[in-house]
Amino acid sequence: MRIIHLLIAGTFFCTASVTATTRFIDALFSDVDVTSGVEYRTAANHAGTDVNLLMDIYEPQGDTMSSRPVVVVMHGGAFAEGVGGRDDAFSAATAAYLASKGFVTASIEYRTGYALSLTAAAAEVKKAAYRALQDAKAAVRFLKANATTYRIDPEAVFLCGYSAGAIMALNYSHLTETKFLSHQDTAGLGALETGDNLTIPSSVKGSIGFAGAVLDTTWLTAGAAPSICFHGTEDEVVPYESGYAFGVQIMPYLYGSSAIRRVSERIGYVNKLITYEGETHTFVSSASLLTASLDSAAVFIYALYGTSAVRTPFIASGIRAGTHQKHKNIGLFDLAGRYAGSRKTSRSVYINYSRTSRKVLDKSVNLEAR
């Protein structure tokens, strides 16, 4: 087991401040325990070779809460083999920071890779995404099956992903095999629900997508688990609106966060969007932007965790291109999308928008073996 010491240092900006300290919103824990290499399933990759899939589980050190929400973190990498991983910069920083707020987090690896083809590239990538979603569902079922071991609330599982991982997170609650077949055959892939713990539902309570997209906006379902998206308007890999992945016509056509939001408003699906004006696909590499985004995502989760918390606001913001120090168009909204002004009290939690800077997590962390 590793211990991660979280350093609260550096003055950046934040979209909200909360008086006192509130679990799941503030970083209450200075140390996080990491259990590395927990095997959650074995499955055949695109070449037909069985691979053992692992996850790293992050827990706030010294936590006494007996049943905690869990966030499944999914890395990016275009579903390509050898790109990204469960301990890459985004995944490790995200899992550690959310754990410091009191969540259990599980950063997973999933099957990647596809046959290289100029004539069937889109089909191969879609199949890779399908395999990855099979793995994500298996990971959720594994965590629920082991809820007692990791002190997890099985009714409070959330997804969080970047790029390919965000595509997984945002399609997860909407996709069915029938919907997928409208785009691509599933020959040799099997059902979406494969592996162990098949009697346990793979449902989740909400999803967080960083630079994500869906494969088809007609898949969006009003009653699916709510989602929040973070996306840069100049994303050249996963389009903010819609287009081919990487801008290359042999790749899948994607509908980005802006398209998701627009359709969601029309059909009544609960989706929130935070737009970063002028930012590209790599906006998560900015420590200040990632931290502020995770702070907003944590408030969004908090609003979903518990039936009495649905009025807790989340933060919507737009960031000026070329700077991470100024804000514009910032307000608080409830989950129905109603403007709540610059402050709101809910469940004894006071959330107040302020333009003043605040100390937030420095993404440099010290790793210490134990």
Side-chain angles (χ1 to χ4, degrees):
M1 178 181 288
R2 290 179 292 144
I3 301 174
I4 291 184
H5 300 291
L6 300 172
L7 304 178
I8 305 298
T11 301
F12 299 111
F13 70 88
C14 186
T15 55
S17 60
V18 181
T19 59
T21 51
T22 304
R23 186 186 178 108
F24 308 129
I25 293 178
D26 293 304
L28 303 181
F29 298 86
S30 58
D31 294 328
V32 172
D33 293 328
V34 185
T35 303
S36 301
V38 177
E39 183 177 327
Y40 73 90
R41 84 171 301 195
T42 299
N45 64 14
H46 71 101
T49 303
D50 282 347
V51 292
N52 298 325
L53 298 174
L54 310 177
M55 64 172 64
D56 296 339
I57 298 176
Y58 295 65
E59 300 176 76
Q61 189 178 101
D63 185 22
T64 59
M65 189 174 180
S66 60
S67 182
R68 304 166 292 185
V70 59
V71 181
V72 179
V73 179
M74 299 175 292
H75 65 83
F79 302 108
E81 200 164 20
V83 182
R86 71 181 197 274
D87 58 353
D88 66 13
F90 168 83
S91 301
T94 296
Y97 189 39
L98 291 178
S100 77
K101 293 175 179 287
F103 296 98
V104 177
T105 56
S107 181
I108 70 168
E109 61 187 21
Y110 51 87
R111 285 172 294 170
T112 55
Y114 36 81
L116 297 176
S117 170
L118 290 177
T119 58
E124 290 298 322
V125 174
K126 289 176 184 177
K127 289 180 180 179
Y130 187 90
R131 285 189 292 267
L133 280 163
Q134 288 175 318
D135 297 340
K137 289 179 176 291
V140 169
R141 296 195 309 270
F142 173 87
L143 289 166
K144 291 184 178 183
N146 292 276
T148 300
T149 300
Y150 299 110
R151 291 188 284 142
I152 288 169
D153 180 352
E155 300 301 318
V157 180
F158 299 86
L159 304 177
C160 177
Y162 166 59
S163 193
I167 290 173
M168 294 165 63
L170 296 175
N171 282 275
Y172 187 98
S173 294
H174 303 279
L175 183 63
T176 64
E177 291 164 42
T178 300
K179 289 177 180 177
F180 188 81
L181 283 168
S182 68
H183 278 250
Q184 181 61 48
D185 71 77
T186 58
L189 298 176
L192 269 174
E193 304 281 355
T194 59
D196 299 326
N197 307 305
L198 291 176
T199 60
I200 297 175
S202 62
S203 56
V204 298
K205 203 169 185 68
S207 296
I208 304 160
F210 288 85
V214 293
L215 294 174
D216 191 333
T217 53
T218 66
W219 291 357
L220 297 175
T221 306
S227 60
I228 185 168
C229 299
F230 302 86
H231 215 136
T233 57
E234 301 304 314
D235 195 319
E236 72 285 12
V237 176
V238 178
Y240 172 72
E241 177 55 50
S242 63
Y244 292 100
F246 295 95
V248 178
Q249 290 189 12
I250 64 171
M251 296 295 283
Y253 196 90
L254 302 175
Y255 296 86
S257 300
S258 179
I260 293 171
R261 175 61 182 159
R262 186 176 61 257
V263 174
S264 297
E265 289 179 323
R266 177 169 54 81
I267 68 173
Y269 169 59
V270 179
N271 165 264
K272 302 303 172 186
L273 169 61
I274 294 184
T275 293
Y276 293 134
E277 296 287 346
E279 293 291 340
T280 65
H281 190 67
T282 58
F283 74 89
V284 297
S285 63
S286 162
S288 56
L289 270 184
L290 180 59
T291 301
S293 300
L294 290 172
D295 286 341
S296 292
V299 177
F300 183 77
I301 293 175
Y302 187 88
L304 299 172
Y305 184 56
T307 56
S308 62
V310 295
R311 284 295 182 238
T312 303
F314 79 102
I315 296 90
S317 67
I319 308 300
R320 290 194 183 104
T323 177
H324 300 150
Q325 303 299 322
K326 301 290 185 182
H327 286 75
K328 65 178 181 180
N329 303 329
I330 300 180
L332 298 180
F333 296 76
D334 65 22
L335 288 180
R338 290 182 288 266
Y339 181 66
S342 63
R343 63 183 65 184
K344 187 176 179 69
T345 301
S346 179
R347 294 187 71 193
S348 300
V349 178
Y350 181 74
I351 298 179
N352 179 53
Y353 159 62
S354 173
R355 285 185 180 272
T356 59
S357 61
R358 168 186 173 209
K359 288 185 177 181
V360 295
L361 180 70
D362 187 328
K363 287 304 166 195
S364 61
V365 295
N366 293 331
L367 302 181
E368 186 175 290
R370 185 171 80 174

